[in-house]
Amino acid sequence: MNDMNTREDIEVDLFLEGIFRHYHYDFRNYSRTFIKRRLNLIKTLLQCESFSILQHKVLHDPLMMTKILNYLTIQVGDMFRDPGYFLSMRHIISSYLSTYSSIKVWIAGCGTGEELYSLAILFREEGLENRTQFFATDINYEALKRAEAGVYAMDRLEAFENNYKLTDPTGSFSKYYTVKNNHAVLDRTLKENTVFYNHSLVSDSVFGEMHLISCRNVLIYFDSSLQERAIGLFSDALIRKGFLGLGAKESLYLSPHASNFTEFQRKDRIYQKMAMHELPPPRVRGIVKVGANER
């Protein structure tokens, strides 16, 4: 590694440590390739000669931290992105989740809310909206505000509607929004059963028992240790036989928590947590425990 790379890596480490200590946002275990790419973009846009200068600006200007956070957290995605995923979710909602008298759904890393509203529409169309509680979480307060507002540019509506048509819908997408000031304002009743909550997969803990967790295109920005932590949170939060949905480029492959799940729909990266009696037997000092006896 040359001297320039060494200095740059040191500056990146110090930058991430600085915003963690000062603002309590922890990006230290995010993918280093992703972080360096984003920080180099920020450095260029803000006309900073080095990460050290960027760090000085951020530590002395909270508004600068807000700008940095918007670059370091991925917020924008289409409604019903990857329609096959939502088609599978519709099947899960109607055939499995419908058997519960009350349902809790966690959208982790909800960004600006597109996935939340996509799922809310599915639950409404399957007649389960009134018995479902949604939890939409993100580390970015600005993103959460935009998610709660539920307002999107009109030029995005065509992609939203085209995706929706591929999810075996029961109605027309146009009934879920009104147009105001060249923006689409989603039906306010879609978020009546939603709690918008600031939560970090890096540092926060489980806050309830969930029937469904959808966390798509978030884990790809974590390193392996942080991925393990997040998947462990999801495993702890899910009820037995609960469902976990990941992004198209994410999986439980090689995760130490993979044995807690079965692949429900491999193509769409949907997993189901095993029931207790299905879990592999614990190993004690290398010995498989069978009932009350050890062999």
Side-chain angles (χ1 to χ4, degrees):
M1 182 180 294
N2 59 41
D3 290 342
M4 180 61 70
N5 285 335
T6 300
R7 288 198 301 272
E8 182 177 270
D9 287 335
I10 292 172
E11 286 188 329
V12 169
D13 287 341
L14 292 173
F15 178 88
L16 298 178
E17 186 68 27
I19 63 173
F20 170 66
R21 292 191 184 188
H22 192 62
Y23 293 107
H24 309 294
Y25 288 112
D26 194 351
F27 293 97
R28 294 173 300 176
N29 288 321
Y30 274 55
S31 163
R32 187 48 58 100
T33 300
F34 165 73
I35 286 292
K36 289 179 72 173
R37 184 171 65 246
R38 286 278 161 167
L39 289 182
N40 273 300
L41 173 62
I42 296 167
K43 185 176 67 172
T44 300
L45 292 173
L46 298 181
Q47 299 181 331
C48 296
E49 294 182 3
S50 67
F51 293 124
S52 296
I53 295 173
L54 180 62
Q55 181 194 57
H56 177 82
K57 288 187 175 183
V58 171
L59 293 182
H60 291 83
D61 184 357
L63 292 179
M64 185 68 71
M65 184 62 224
T66 300
K67 293 180 181 179
I68 298 292
L69 193 61
N70 287 333
Y71 283 109
L72 293 181
T73 55
I74 306 301
Q75 302 174 17
V76 178
D78 288 339
M79 288 185 66
F80 302 100
R81 178 181 178 182
D82 301 322
Y85 175 85
F86 289 95
L87 185 61
S88 293
M89 278 296 167
R90 188 183 290 277
H91 169 66
I92 289 170
I93 291 166
S94 62
S95 300
Y96 293 87
L97 298 184
S98 61
T99 63
Y100 296 96
S101 59
S102 62
I103 306 162
K104 292 183 178 180
V105 179
W106 178 12
I107 302 91
C110 71
T112 51
E114 291 87 345
E115 185 161 338
L116 161 67
Y117 292 112
S118 300
L119 288 172
I121 287 172
L122 295 188
F123 275 85
R124 173 173 291 187
E125 293 187 346
E126 297 306 319
L128 301 182
E129 179 183 27
N130 291 336
R131 47 174 146 148
T132 304
Q133 177 74 66
F134 296 95
F135 299 88
T137 68
D138 204 279
I139 65 170
N140 189 324
Y141 285 104
E142 293 300 317
L144 284 172
K145 288 180 183 178
R146 292 170 61 187
E148 189 166 7
V151 178
Y152 301 100
M154 284 298 297
D155 60 8
R156 303 183 63 196
L157 265 290
E158 183 178 0
F160 291 1
E161 186 162 7
N162 288 339
N163 290 339
Y164 170 74
K165 290 177 179 178
L166 298 175
T167 66
D168 196 20
T170 63
S172 170
F173 183 72
S174 61
K175 70 181 181 181
Y176 295 114
Y177 68 90
T178 56
V179 178
K180 183 177 181 180
N181 298 327
N182 201 35
H183 283 76
V185 182
L186 294 187
D187 183 350
R188 293 177 60 86
T189 63
L190 287 172
K191 59 185 176 186
E192 282 185 345
N193 298 332
T194 300
V195 176
F196 294 89
Y197 184 68
N198 185 259
H199 181 276
S200 172
L201 296 174
V202 176
S203 57
D204 293 331
S205 57
V206 171
F207 55 88
E209 287 190 326
M210 303 294 159
H211 298 76
L212 167 64
I213 298 175
S214 189
C215 181
R216 306 180 68 222
N217 306 307
V218 174
L219 299 185
I220 55 175
Y221 301 107
F222 294 172
D223 71 6
S224 58
S225 64
L226 191 49
Q227 288 176 3
E228 289 181 15
R229 185 187 195 280
I231 295 170
L233 283 180
F234 299 151
S235 180
D236 290 342
L238 281 170
I239 66 166
R240 300 171 190 174
K241 293 292 188 178
F243 292 91
L244 170 64
L246 301 178
K249 296 181 180 180
E250 300 165 333
S251 76
L252 298 185
Y253 180 65
L254 296 181
S255 168
H257 303 284
S259 59
N260 294 339
F261 294 87
T262 58
E263 283 187 325
F264 184 84
Q265 177 55 265
R266 176 180 295 183
K267 175 174 63 69
D268 297 314
R269 299 296 195 270
I270 299 174
Y271 302 86
Q272 186 174 30
K273 185 176 177 180
M274 292 183 179
M276 188 60 68
H277 69 274
E278 297 174 320
L279 294 174
R283 290 186 174 274
V284 180
R285 295 180 184 174
I287 301 173
V288 178
K289 199 169 185 179
V290 183
N293 301 314
E294 292 184 0
R295 294 182 181 177

